[in-house]
Amino acid sequence: MTSPREHVDESDLHAFVDGELDAENRRRIEDHLHNHAEDAALVEGWRRQNAALRAAFAQTVKEPVPAGLRTASVTSLTRSFGSGVNWARFSPSKGASLRAMRRSDTSRRPPRRPAIIMSLLTLLAGAVVAGAALLAFTGPASPPSAPQRAMIEPPGLVAHAQLAYLTFAQDSRPVEIGADRKAELSSWLGERAGFGRLPDLADVGLELIGGRLVPGVISPAGLLIYQSAAGARAALYFERAGGERPSAPPKTLPGLAAVEWRAAGFAFILIGPLTAETARAAAESAAAQASR
């Protein structure tokens, strides 16, 4: 029959893991673990849990305790115990040794394993949330579908049209398909950019010389190049964009005038070295033809 001295319960195993036993009791627990593989595995698991907790809070424990928390702790203890403690109750003269009191307290102490497990679960949940947030902010964004693209309001469209104009309008080959192949140009731009109409601006003194496909802000864009009798070149830039708006007053860019408007799910910008009146008239004519 196992004597009380030889009996080993969970509180003994916890004390062994926490290093709270004297040499004699530690040897007794070591002998017990040598003969009981299930308890040995339990102790090893607790040791790993302790190591994980120490690693998780290694930096936190080095930080100083905030003054507010220190004050709150002292206030809480004062309220719990009052202004004084009757230390006489702990005197050895009362017939109980400190060792006996400690054993009694240990026997009433609930197992600490559930608390450790809950701490680990809390840490795991926090890591999952942090990982999800990190992935949300740093992961690759999914491109919007075609219907969503049409509803996006492109930023800086006029500036983008100006860049396309400055890149191609004065080039020795400003267009990819000339005005002598209007049917081919219309079909190609309609297939790639979604808009294939070629506004005739001869009534405002601008003749179409051809067009090309250019990168847009959110989709492929078209660029039609026009030329005046004096050789000045203007361009009509168009790209898919949501919203309807009337023609805005011409915007003055360095040496250029630009008029922007929305129609039929597209953004249009007419841009060139034109006067404000000519730019407005050309934009109104192009808008009327584009909306037919």
Side-chain angles (χ1 to χ4, degrees):
M1 180 176 179
T2 303
S3 65
R5 177 71 175 176
E6 296 174 349
H7 176 71
V8 174
D9 57 21
E10 191 169 302
S11 63
D12 294 320
L13 298 180
H14 276 298
F16 175 76
V17 172
D18 295 339
E20 297 177 350
L21 300 179
D22 55 25
E24 179 182 354
N25 283 315
R26 185 174 184 84
R27 284 193 297 271
R28 179 173 65 88
I29 300 301
E30 289 174 348
D31 293 340
H32 171 83
L33 296 178
H34 182 74
N35 297 318
H36 296 79
E38 182 178 351
D39 285 352
L42 188 63
V43 166
E44 180 61 25
W46 291 342
R47 283 174 169 167
R48 292 180 180 177
Q49 290 174 355
N50 289 345
L53 288 172
R54 284 193 296 270
F57 294 99
Q59 296 301 322
T60 303
V61 296
K62 296 179 181 180
E63 299 175 359
V65 178
L69 291 181
R70 291 198 298 268
T71 303
S73 177
V74 172
T75 303
S76 177
L77 288 174
T78 303
R79 290 178 179 175
S80 299
F81 295 104
S83 59
V85 179
N86 183 11
W87 294 103
R89 59 177 299 189
F90 298 110
S91 172
S93 63
K94 295 297 182 179
S97 66
L98 290 177
R99 181 182 296 275
M101 291 171 61
R102 179 182 175 185
R103 294 287 296 177
S104 175
D105 180 68
T106 302
S107 65
R108 292 193 303 269
R109 181 177 56 193
R112 285 174 287 179
R113 187 185 180 194
I116 296 176
I117 294 177
M118 289 301 297
S119 298
L120 288 177
L121 291 176
T122 302
L123 288 174
L124 180 60
V128 171
V129 172
L134 182 62
L135 182 61
F137 283 107
T138 62
S142 301
S145 60
Q148 292 173 321
R149 287 177 183 268
M151 297 306 296
I152 295 176
E153 183 73 15
L157 256 178
V158 173
H160 197 76
Q162 180 187 15
L163 177 61
Y165 172 84
L166 295 175
T167 302
F168 297 108
Q170 305 305 322
D171 193 81
S172 58
R173 294 181 55 190
V175 301
E176 294 178 90
I177 300 179
D180 57 331
R181 297 153 56 192
K182 286 185 178 181
E184 182 182 351
L185 176 60
S186 176
S187 176
W188 180 53
L189 291 178
E191 179 182 350
R192 297 301 307 278
F195 182 82
R197 296 181 182 177
L198 310 177
D200 184 355
L201 303 181
D203 58 338
V204 293
L206 296 173
E207 294 290 338
L208 178 68
I209 64 175
R212 67 185 306 125
L213 192 71
V214 297
V217 175
I218 62 173
S219 65
L223 189 70
L224 298 176
I225 305 294
Y226 295 83
Q227 186 167 294
S228 69
R233 289 175 179 173
L236 178 62
Y237 175 98
F238 54 87
E239 178 182 350
R240 294 184 186 274
E244 301 284 335
R245 74 173 62 162
S247 298
K251 296 181 179 180
T252 303
L253 303 171
L256 301 173
V259 181
E260 177 188 8
W261 73 94
R262 299 281 198 277
F266 285 84
F268 297 88
I269 297 98
L270 191 137
I271 184 171
L274 309 171
T275 64
E277 293 77 8
T278 302
R280 166 70 77 178
E284 290 176 352
S285 177
Q289 296 178 59
S291 61
R292 290 173 187 168

